[in-house]
Amino acid sequence: MSKNIDDNDVKILNILQVDATRSLESIAEEIGVSLNTCWRRVQRLEAEGVLERRVALIDNEKVGLPLTVFVSVRTDDHSKAWADRFSDAVNQMPEIVEFYRLAGDVDYILKIMVGSVSDYDRVYQRLISKVKLSNVSASFAMEKMKFTTELPLGR
Amino acid sequence: MSKNIDDNDVKILNILQVDATRSLESIAEEIGVSLNTCWRRVQRLEAEGVLERRVALIDNEKVGLPLTVFVSVRTDDHSKAWADRFSDAVNQMPEIVEFYRLAGDVDYILKIMVGSVSDYDRVYQRLISKVKLSNVSASFAMEKMKFTTELPLGR
DNA sequence: TTTGAAATGGATTCGGC
DNA sequence: GCCGAATCCATTTCAAA
């Protein structure tokens, strides 16, 4: 934990990462500081970029996106040019919601959210039309058992 | 896409899933409806559970959680009792931020956010002390190339 | 320089038309 | 769907420590 984040900051972050609609007044009361102090801390956390943004989370099933797919990618082309093209292609595709480069035998993992298996196939076809992938393996999620954007900050 | 979500609802959702601090007035203006209509639509989307909640997103590196680990789990115990114990254990561990049951040869995938490899090892030890896992494989993320909570709703 | 109390003005909420 | 009143809330100001 960064040294410029104290106990009260953590309390504020823990409240806001559960519910960003909480009023400053109620947060101030809960953590035992004045409204003003609380406001200043939130401002500082935003200015420092600790608090990145506030977003609305949408129920993926209720908007017709019940299927989550994890895709493992291996490549034999480890050039920068290839990596850049892959990255650009992924960033143009809104169905790909997460994308990491990994250590180990799998080079990349993608998380894709779509309406159906055939929607997934269209996303897959579009992706491989943009960039050559030597070894791709898809795993379909049968059940979302936990999903949170809340980071473990301790108390 | 569910039939009770129309074009204007999608526009509202697309705005709020990028920035939940936007005022109703500015949203109303952007999509071309009255403030009141916009407010009622947001109320309805919340009541229906389409809009689940609004949260603050925190910079994981700035709070000392630079390491993301994907863990694949295979099990030979496919009983309900075992699955429940696994699920309970995961839900008690805030470092595990995502958890899915998969189709295919890997049974589960976990996404874990921690400060370091040794923090990961502590999480891992804690997990296997609570539930027997027959085959576990961890992949460490070297680079977060894309992360968004924004669902692809089309226009 | 920091802190808290109070004022301001803007945004949200909700009834009625 | 639109108006407008009542309320709530973020932000600024200002005085005191």
Side-chain angles (χ1 to χ4, degrees):
Chain A
M1 182 73 57
S2 175
K3 271 296 104 58
N4 52 344
I5 294 178
D6 69 14
D7 229 59
N8 281 336
D9 290 332
V10 169
K11 287 180 188 167
I12 291 171
L13 293 172
N14 274 333
I15 291 169
L16 288 178
Q17 67 176 344
V18 171
D19 181 2
T21 69
R22 285 282 299 274
S23 77
L24 287 169
E25 198 173 19
S26 82
I27 297 169
E29 187 183 21
E30 177 168 334
I31 72 179
V33 301
S34 76
L35 169 62
N36 228 281
T37 301
C38 190
W39 180 78
R40 276 181 231 276
R41 280 178 182 266
V42 172
Q43 292 290 113
R44 189 174 51 76
L45 291 167
E46 283 172 349
E48 286 172 347
V50 176
L51 240 165
E52 282 190 323
R53 60 197 197 284
R54 296 137 195 257
V55 300
L57 300 183
I58 293 171
D59 183 323
N60 60 296
E61 303 206 344
K62 293 209 168 117
V63 293
L65 298 167
L67 182 60
T68 300
V69 186
F70 288 91
V71 177
S72 302
V73 171
R74 275 166 252 248
T75 179
D76 37 25
D77 187 343
H78 292 277
S79 70
K80 171 117 174 34
W82 182 87
D84 285 349
R85 276 207 304 138
F86 188 26
S87 181
D88 288 349
V90 167
N91 278 296
Q92 284 178 274
M93 298 177 68
E95 298 89 351
I96 304 176
V97 292
E98 297 187 45
F99 175 33
Y100 297 84
R101 184 166 63 81
L102 302 179
D105 59 328
V106 172
D107 294 304
Y108 297 92
I109 190 168
L110 311 177
K111 181 179 154 192
I112 300 181
M113 299 189 74
V114 287
S116 62
V117 173
S118 57
D119 284 348
Y120 165 70
D121 193 50
R122 274 186 282 276
V123 170
Y124 170 72
Q125 297 294 340
R126 188 147 35 97
L127 184 62
I128 61 171
S129 75
K130 291 179 179 182
V131 55
K132 187 182 173 299
L133 305 176
S134 52
N135 187 324
V136 179
S137 158
S139 293
F140 293 83
M142 293 290 99
E143 193 178 353
K144 176 168 68 180
M145 320 242 340
K146 181 174 185 176
F147 172 84
T148 182
T149 56
E150 192 181 345
L151 303 184
L153 302 182
R155 266 112 308 289
Chain B
M1 182 74 57
S2 173
K3 271 295 105 57
N4 52 341
I5 295 177
D6 70 12
D7 229 60
N8 281 335
D9 291 330
V10 168
K11 287 180 188 166
I12 291 170
L13 293 171
N14 274 334
I15 291 170
L16 289 177
Q17 67 175 344
V18 171
D19 180 3
T21 69
R22 286 280 300 274
S23 76
L24 287 169
E25 198 173 18
S26 82
I27 297 169
E29 186 184 21
E30 178 168 332
I31 71 178
V33 300
S34 75
L35 168 63
N36 228 281
T37 300
C38 189
W39 179 73
R40 275 177 223 279
R41 278 176 184 266
V42 171
Q43 293 290 112
R44 188 174 51 78
L45 290 167
E46 283 172 348
E48 286 172 348
V50 176
L51 240 166
E52 281 190 323
R53 59 198 198 282
R54 295 134 194 259
V55 300
L57 299 184
I58 294 171
D59 185 323
N60 59 296
E61 303 205 345
K62 293 208 167 117
V63 293
L65 298 168
L67 183 59
T68 299
V69 186
F70 288 91
V71 177
S72 302
V73 172
R74 275 167 251 247
T75 179
D76 38 25
D77 187 343
H78 292 277
S79 70
K80 170 113 174 39
W82 182 87
D84 286 347
R85 277 208 303 139
F86 188 27
S87 180
D88 288 348
V90 167
N91 277 296
Q92 283 177 274
M93 298 177 67
E95 298 89 352
I96 304 176
V97 294
E98 296 187 46
F99 175 33
Y100 296 85
R101 184 166 64 80
L102 302 178
D105 59 329
V106 173
D107 294 304
Y108 297 92
I109 190 167
L110 311 177
K111 180 178 153 193
I112 300 180
M113 298 191 74
V114 288
S116 64
V117 173
S118 57
D119 285 346
Y120 165 69
D121 193 50
R122 275 186 282 277
V123 171
Y124 170 72
Q125 296 294 340
R126 190 147 34 96
L127 184 62
I128 61 171
S129 77
K130 291 180 179 180
V131 54
K132 185 181 175 300
L133 305 175
S134 50
N135 188 325
V136 178
S137 158
S139 294
F140 293 84
M142 293 290 100
E143 193 178 353
K144 177 169 66 180
M145 320 239 345
K146 180 173 187 178
F147 172 85
T148 182
T149 56
E150 193 182 344
L151 303 185
L153 301 184
R155 265 107 307 286

